[in-house]
Amino acid sequence: MKKILFTSVLLAFFLQSCSEKAATQEAVIPQLPVYTLQNTETTTISEYPAAIRGIVDIEIRPQVGGVLDKIYIDEGAYVTQGQLLFKINERPFREQLNMATGNLNAAKAALINTQLEIDKLTPLVQNKVVSDYQLKTAQAAHKIALSTLEQAKAMVENAKIDLNYTSIHAPVNGYIGRLPKRQGSLLAPTDVEALTSLSNIQQVYAYFSLGEMDFIQFKNQYEGSTLGDKVKNLAPVSLLLADKTAYKELGKIDVIDGQFDKNTGAIMLRATFPNPDGALRSGNTGKIQLKMQHSQALLIPQEATVEIQDKVFVFAVDASNKVFKTPVQIIGRSGNDYLIDQQLKSGDRIVLKGFERLQDGMTIQPETPSPATAALTNSKI
């Protein structure tokens, strides 16, 4: 009898424990706001890495070899077209010019002598005093003298050109780059390193690339029967600088490459930005911001995403209210929302917030976001 009584008490205690455990489990099921995805029309901003160059960005190199005598500018200086930048020792080239001039004078004298010989022999041949062979020989010598004279003139001009190359002038207005050479350095046209670089940055070019799908979508939203017509109708673009601030001037896309890069599958575009105060320099980097229209966009709130190892995830909620961590691909941004690819579809549900302790397979109690939260989530630019 005691054994039966003890068993009954133990069974009752077990049932009570199970009931309390079930109640506890039911009590810990979290109530979390859930957001239902819907297709909508929106404008997104997509960012593309850009490399910035001046409208003129050239290397200054010596055209003749020699010793660098003088440097007239400093690094970072602004120079104007025609301004003297460097001077190479000109003495060897001036001597070459003197030698070429002497050869020219000798060639002129030789030409005069051959002409005198022709003038002397011509009447003698006419009077049959001497044979015409001598006259023909003199005429041939005269042609050789004429050729020698032309060569001498060319040598003089070439020596003048080399002498002028000892003075290196700025080909355009712009800013001087680094100066790796110093006074006394031996220069040669074949040097790997340039004397300096010169950038005209009154305007700058921002080069960026679009993938094939982005490019198709980009050009389809503008009017025009040809790509050239579409370029004329392109909207201005913004430039985001390296510190995440927006450049104050808007740019204009004016060049689209003629073909896609077979290695990257992308096509290059160029946007031109005014740079009146020189804030941008060649070599700067940034991001071009393009606005694109989407008719069937699928947006998710930014606050509903979590980034893990450079990948973006959301917690999707299935029909039984279980959550599963799902990767999504961000293809644009609209206000506080992300535009995603086709990993999810319209009508799917995701956890809006409070998912810090969620794990795959957990059950939640969905609750509808408050009107204020929903209005904020669905805001567009």
Side-chain angles (χ1 to χ4, degrees):
M1 189 67 180
K2 290 182 179 181
K3 186 176 181 179
I4 294 174
L5 181 60
F6 176 77
T7 302
S8 300
V9 172
L10 185 62
L11 180 59
F13 178 75
F14 175 75
L15 293 175
Q16 182 179 2
S17 298
C18 292
S19 177
E20 291 177 354
K21 184 177 181 180
T24 302
Q25 290 180 343
E26 184 178 357
V28 298
I29 295 178
Q31 292 186 353
L32 297 176
V34 170
Y35 178 76
T36 302
L37 305 183
Q38 293 181 349
N39 289 328
T40 185
E41 293 185 3
T42 188
T43 300
T44 62
I45 295 179
S46 297
E47 297 178 352
Y48 301 91
I52 298 172
R53 296 287 182 269
I55 55 173
V56 176
D57 196 9
I58 58 177
E59 291 182 337
I60 305 298
R61 292 182 174 274
Q63 299 298 307
V64 294
V67 177
L68 182 58
D69 266 358
K70 292 183 180 180
I71 301 175
Y72 295 94
I73 38 83
D74 199 1
E75 295 175 334
Y78 180 79
V79 298
T80 56
Q81 185 177 9
Q83 182 176 337
L84 183 61
L85 307 180
F86 304 96
K87 182 66 177 179
I88 298 174
N89 190 330
E90 68 176 29
R91 287 188 59 187
F93 302 97
R94 189 165 293 281
E95 293 303 321
Q96 289 179 7
L97 177 58
N98 292 337
M99 183 182 297
T101 302
N103 292 334
L104 176 61
N105 292 332
K108 289 180 179 178
L111 181 64
I112 292 174
N113 284 335
T114 58
Q115 184 62 51
L116 290 174
E117 185 68 14
I118 292 173
D119 293 342
K120 182 184 74 171
L121 293 174
T122 298
L124 295 176
V125 171
Q126 291 174 350
N127 295 324
K128 297 182 180 181
V129 176
V130 298
S131 68
D132 61 352
Y133 175 78
Q134 290 178 311
L135 179 59
K136 290 180 179 179
T137 301
Q139 290 172 340
H142 183 70
K143 290 181 180 179
I144 293 174
L146 281 173
S147 177
T148 302
L149 178 62
E150 293 301 320
Q151 290 177 355
K153 289 180 179 179
M155 294 299 294
V156 169
E157 293 302 318
N158 188 63
K160 288 180 179 179
I161 291 172
D162 286 347
L163 181 60
N164 290 333
Y165 279 152
T166 61
S167 298
I168 302 175
H169 300 267
V172 294
N173 299 343
Y175 289 90
I176 294 294
R178 193 172 64 90
L179 298 175
K181 305 290 186 179
R182 292 294 179 260
Q183 187 173 349
S185 298
L186 182 62
L187 307 180
T190 56
D191 288 343
V192 175
E193 195 169 28
L195 280 170
T196 188
S197 59
L198 181 59
S199 298
N200 184 340
I201 55 172
Q202 293 177 341
Q203 290 182 317
V204 295
Y205 296 142
Y207 294 93
F208 64 102
S209 297
L210 295 181
E212 188 171 359
M213 293 301 296
D214 284 349
F215 179 70
I216 293 174
Q217 182 179 4
F218 170 71
K219 68 183 181 67
N220 284 346
Q221 63 181 320
Y222 294 102
E223 296 180 356
S225 56
T226 66
L227 192 56
D229 294 336
K230 291 178 180 292
V231 169
K232 297 177 183 178
N233 295 322
L234 296 181
V237 295
S238 302
L239 176 64
L240 195 65
L241 302 178
D243 62 356
K244 307 301 182 183
T245 61
Y247 182 55
K248 62 181 181 180
E249 304 283 352
L250 294 178
K252 177 68 174 177
I253 296 175
D254 52 8
V255 171
I256 298 177
D257 200 353
Q259 60 184 3
F260 282 84
D261 188 314
K262 63 180 180 180
N263 296 319
T264 63
I267 191 169
M268 186 276 296
L269 289 81
R270 188 188 78 185
T272 302
F273 288 83
N275 190 32
D277 55 1
L280 299 177
R281 299 294 178 98
S282 288
N284 278 149
T285 59
K287 292 182 178 180
I288 292 292
Q289 294 183 317
L290 293 182
K291 292 182 179 180
M292 294 189 182
Q293 300 289 337
H294 302 270
S295 59
Q296 291 294 317
L298 199 59
L299 300 176
I300 60 172
Q302 183 176 349
E303 63 176 339
T305 63
V306 58
E307 186 172 346
I308 302 175
Q309 296 181 348
D310 297 330
K311 293 184 179 181
V312 179
F313 296 86
V314 295
F315 280 90
V317 183
D318 66 8
S320 60
N321 294 332
K322 289 184 178 182
V323 298
F324 296 93
K325 188 165 58 179
T326 304
V328 293
Q329 182 179 356
I330 307 301
I331 59 176
R333 190 180 74 245
S334 175
N336 296 322
D337 296 338
Y338 285 142
L339 177 65
I340 65 171
D341 211 341
Q342 301 299 322
Q343 293 86 359
L344 299 173
K345 63 182 183 300
S346 180
D348 287 344
R349 299 181 299 167
I350 61 172
V351 178
L352 184 60
K353 59 182 178 179
F355 44 75
E356 290 78 9
R357 296 184 180 181
L358 290 182
Q359 297 181 359
D360 281 354
M362 287 185 61
T363 301
I364 66 168
Q365 294 185 20
E367 62 180 20
T368 303
S370 65
T373 303
L376 179 62
T377 299
N378 291 325
S379 61
K380 308 291 184 291
I381 58 173

